Amino acid sequence: MSGKIIKVSGPLVVAEGLADAGMADVVKVGSQGLKGEILTMTGDRASIQVYEETAGLGPGAEVVTTGAPLSVELGPGLLENIYDGIQRPLQAIKAMAGDTIARGIDIPALDREKKWHFVPSVSAGVSVVGGDIIGSVQETVAIAHKIMIPHGIEGVIEEIYEGDFTVTDIVAKVRGSSGVTDITMSQKWPVRKNRPYKKKFLPDTPMQTGQRVIDTLFPIAKGGTAAVPGPFGSGKTVVQHALAKWADVDVVVYIGCGERGNEMTDVLNEFPELQDPRTGEPLMKRTVLIANTSDMPVAAREASIYTGITIAEYFRDMGYDVSVIADSTSRWAEALREMSGRLEEMPGEEGYPAYLASRIAQFYERAGCIECQSSDGRRGSLSAIGAVSPPGGDTSEPVSQATLRIVKVFWGLDSSLAHARHFPAINWLNSYSLYLDNLGPWYDRNLGKSYLENRSRAVSVLQEEDELQEIVKLVGQDSLSPSDRLTMETAKMIREDFLQQNAFVDIDNYSEYDRQAKLMQIILDYDSLCRSALDKGADLNKLIAIEARERIGRAKSVPASEYEQRYEELAADMAAQIKEASND
């Protein structure tokens, strides 16, 4: 059915004559068929947010409803693709329309011409339910795309075929209570509706990132949630790129939500060139990019968040570990604020809508470690990591506070650390992780009981250093007792020799758990041995000047194939040199 526009206010269009339309229905607006979504209905009058530029629209233009909610197409062809906020493939648009996105252009999200080789994993006569895997397509070198029965369909497979098919070709037929259903390799899912699962579990396995400040001090679990707040220039994008490359997940969905065009350009240029450390292939082979820059229509920012998380849930349902990286949720919140203002809703704090916190919660609650909705009991996980860009770095503003109430990990970026070239610039004094208790059994099994004890010792040393800095500023470091000076020296080693990492040096840009544990053990052993020596009257200056102390500073540059032997030698030499220094 169709209606007529009576008002245009930026991305908000009000139309009447749509009595049979429903909330959240997608509509085509004007002669160009601009894509929009119904936000509110009052009688036959609909308020619509339009995902494209509305210049030139006026009262009287036609609005046609599609009768379906905003949905994404799911199937082979998602990986390596670059979409805009409403899942239009940007590379296909460029091939058709050039460098600019023509208004009203509508291209299927999945290539209708490309053929994929489908290999069945079940045979005719097998009973299936929604979510069951019936076969696979080797979509990229890194990922086998599992073809699943769409939710809501169950019955017995009557026919199933092997061969080369497009995403719209029939690959199987399922006979159920309502007759025979044709199964293709693609399916649609509404973006605002969570994909179902059988059961949710407490996340109990760490997501290994290779970043020492994250893995050792503030870990995130697979299926967990994290926020990366920080002011401009503090390294949010650096952290997110490192997570996308090194985190031990199978699929990465990177959402550029309203960021500056040059930042998204960097992502689009760098990701195809980054080498996946798992396979040696380009990182794009297991990545989906959602590109939505700050000069695109505001309303599309909100859609990009939901588009990205729905694609991630689809890969999670295949049994994969998936990571969603959203940069940044602050821009999404700004879009909510603008649309709320145009709808003349009662504003909340700082003009944001009163439902801001619940919308942010709805996004993060879609993360988790789950048992998939299928008959084989497979598990998958979805981790959600959102950057927050508080104005001036002030995390007391509403978006940061609403996010912190929901997520379990807070990596607070510090501009002073970034300016000092300390990366990742995560401030160890105000960051935290609430997954340590859940992950404790995993650490005890795989890294030994001492791992979490050493982590606690390291954090307490850094906190003591912060307290001592106040005294040092007033009266200088020489006025401290030898024990306090040793604390300052140990904290410096933790900061510079352990937490600081160089993303441009191959040996140092990734550090596995075992190596992190051994390096931390050496630093803390140095502290313990020196304290014992001080109790026996040793000279602190001699203890600091030992040759092994300098080698600890270079330990993170030891090649990965040699570190175990070299660290053992270093620990033995360090103990001998401290003993010698304490006997002088």
Side-chain angles (χ1 to χ4, degrees):
M1 65 173 299
S2 64
K4 298 290 183 186
I5 292 176
I6 58 172
K7 175 186 173 184
V8 178
S9 173
L12 178 70
V13 167
V14 180
E16 60 183 10
L18 295 169
D20 291 340
M23 285 272 290
D25 279 3
V26 171
V27 296
K28 298 294 182 75
V29 179
S31 57
Q32 292 177 303
L34 308 183
K35 204 167 187 177
E37 182 183 14
I38 295 177
L39 294 177
T40 62
M41 291 288 300
T42 309
D44 71 341
R45 183 173 293 188
S47 296
I48 301 159
Q49 66 174 350
V50 180
Y51 293 126
E52 301 180 66
E53 179 57 54
T54 57
L57 276 181
E62 189 177 40
V63 175
V64 180
T65 178
T66 62
L70 184 66
S71 303
V72 288
E73 280 192 346
L74 304 168
L78 288 171
L79 294 173
E80 295 189 89
N81 224 322
I82 303 165
Y83 294 107
D84 73 352
I86 48 177
Q87 213 203 6
R88 293 182 299 188
L90 296 180
Q91 290 157 318
I93 288 174
K94 182 178 181 182
M96 177 184 288
D99 289 340
T100 56
I101 303 176
R103 291 203 301 167
I105 194 167
D106 196 10
I107 297 177
L110 301 176
D111 191 335
R112 295 292 191 266
E113 306 297 324
K114 184 170 182 177
K115 292 200 170 184
W116 304 90
H117 186 69
F118 173 71
V119 180
S121 58
V122 296
S123 55
V126 172
S127 295
V128 291
V129 297
D132 279 352
I133 294 170
I134 58 168
S136 63
V137 166
Q138 194 64 43
E139 185 173 353
T140 68
V141 176
I143 298 295
H145 193 113
K146 315 285 177 63
I147 305 303
M148 297 177 285
I149 297 288
H151 292 294
I153 295 174
E154 60 178 278
V156 176
I157 291 183
E158 199 167 71
E159 297 176 41
I160 189 164
Y161 319 107
E162 180 174 357
D164 296 332
F165 303 98
T166 66
V167 292
T168 55
D169 289 339
I170 297 167
V171 296
K173 293 177 183 287
V174 174
R175 179 171 293 281
S177 56
S178 56
V180 176
T181 305
D182 294 333
I183 305 296
T184 66
M185 289 195 288
S186 65
Q187 52 181 275
K188 283 199 165 189
W189 191 264
V191 297
R192 295 180 189 278
K193 182 180 176 185
N194 300 13
R195 284 179 64 86
Y197 52 82
K198 271 189 182 174
K199 189 177 179 183
K200 209 168 198 173
F201 303 97
L202 277 175
D204 59 3
T205 306
M207 186 171 85
Q208 300 178 43
T209 67
Q211 311 306 301
R212 290 186 289 266
V213 66
I214 293 175
D215 288 347
T216 298
L217 296 193
F218 312 113
I220 177 174
K222 285 182 181 177
T225 55
V228 195
F232 174 77
S234 60
K236 291 188 293 295
T237 307
V238 172
V239 170
Q240 291 186 312
H241 283 205
L243 293 173
K245 181 174 182 179
W246 295 111
D248 66 332
V249 293
D250 302 305
V251 177
V252 176
V253 180
Y254 191 101
I255 308 168
C257 177
E259 282 300 299
R260 291 173 297 284
N262 61 333
E263 284 201 13
M264 272 318 297
T265 303
D266 285 345
V267 172
L268 299 181
N269 287 334
E270 287 173 13
F271 270 51
E273 294 177 5
L274 284 176
Q275 190 182 67
D276 184 354
R278 290 178 163 202
T279 61
E281 298 286 329
L283 190 62
M284 282 296 291
K285 297 286 184 186
R286 58 183 181 93
T287 303
V288 182
L289 290 181
I290 313 289
N292 183 268
T293 58
S294 53
D295 63 341
M296 291 181 174
V298 163
R301 295 182 191 176
E302 189 192 9
S304 66
I305 289 283
Y306 291 108
T307 297
I309 197 84
T310 306
I311 291 172
E313 285 180 331
Y314 175 64
F315 282 105
R316 175 207 69 187
D317 289 350
M318 296 180 198
Y320 288 124
D321 294 318
V322 187
S323 172
V324 169
I325 297 174
D327 187 13
S328 98
T329 54
S330 294
R331 311 278 179 255
W332 166 41
E334 287 165 10
L336 290 175
R337 178 166 62 182
E338 174 156 344
M339 293 310 299
S340 176
R342 292 184 184 278
L343 287 166
E344 299 176 2
E345 295 173 336
M346 183 70 73
E349 189 180 354
E350 291 189 23
Y352 288 102
Y355 48 77
L356 172 70
S358 65
R359 288 288 175 88
I360 292 174
Q362 284 168 12
F363 168 72
Y364 282 108
E365 75 175 2
R366 292 174 76 164
C369 186
I370 58 107
E371 181 183 334
C372 303
Q373 186 88 27
S374 63
S375 55
D376 62 1
R378 66 182 181 275
R379 291 190 181 192
S381 73
L382 196 169
S383 309
I385 300 161
V388 184
S389 309
D394 176 18
T395 53
S396 65
E397 55 88 42
V399 181
S400 300
Q401 289 301 307
T403 304
L404 293 183
R405 283 198 293 272
I406 297 152
V407 300
K408 299 286 192 295
V409 179
F410 173 76
W411 298 320
L413 295 174
D414 192 321
S415 56
S416 62
L417 286 174
H419 294 153
R421 296 293 182 266
H422 180 112
F423 288 104
I426 294 174
N427 188 313
W428 47 85
L429 296 173
N430 59 17
S431 301
Y432 60 82
S433 170
L434 301 180
Y435 288 116
L436 286 166
D437 289 343
N438 290 354
L439 300 177
W442 188 94
Y443 289 131
D444 291 345
R445 283 195 310 273
N446 294 277
L447 298 167
K449 297 276 188 184
S450 63
Y451 183 80
L452 283 180
E453 293 170 9
N454 287 347
R455 184 251 173 215
S456 299
R457 276 183 65 194
V459 170
S460 65
V461 167
L462 292 168
Q463 289 170 342
E464 283 178 45
E465 182 206 28
D466 184 58
E467 294 166 6
L468 291 171
Q469 286 287 8
E470 298 298 320
I471 301 171
V472 171
K473 287 175 187 174
L474 289 173
V475 293
Q477 188 161 327
D478 292 339
S479 63
L480 295 177
S481 67
S483 176
D484 286 344
R485 283 175 59 200
L486 178 59
T487 298
M488 299 288 284
E489 180 67 19
T490 306
K492 182 183 177 185
M493 292 166 71
I494 294 171
R495 285 189 287 106
E496 297 180 2
D497 304 338
F498 186 82
L499 298 182
Q500 194 170 5
Q501 228 164 321
N502 193 331
F504 297 103
V505 175
D506 286 343
I507 295 170
D508 196 33
N509 57 12
Y510 177 85
S511 183
E512 59 264 38
Y513 258 126
D514 182 62
R515 181 169 184 156
Q516 293 182 39
K518 284 181 165 61
L519 182 55
M520 178 59 80
Q521 188 70 58
I522 289 171
I523 293 171
L524 294 175
D525 284 350
Y526 172 84
D527 181 77
S528 300
L529 291 170
C530 285
R531 288 192 190 280
S532 298
L534 287 177
D535 291 342
K536 295 172 184 174
D539 183 353
L540 179 62
N541 292 325
K542 287 183 179 179
L543 296 173
I544 292 174
I546 62 171
E547 181 265 344
R549 164 67 189 87
E550 189 179 333
R551 282 164 58 195
I552 293 172
R554 298 196 302 268
K556 60 185 177 185
S557 302
V558 173
S561 58
E562 303 173 18
Y563 82 87
E564 290 191 37
Q565 181 185 348
R566 298 268 288 273
Y567 282 12
E568 281 181 23
E569 293 171 359
L570 174 56
D573 291 349
M574 178 184 72
Q577 290 172 24
I578 290 173
K579 186 176 181 181
E580 184 182 339
S582 62
N583 290 334
D584 288 349

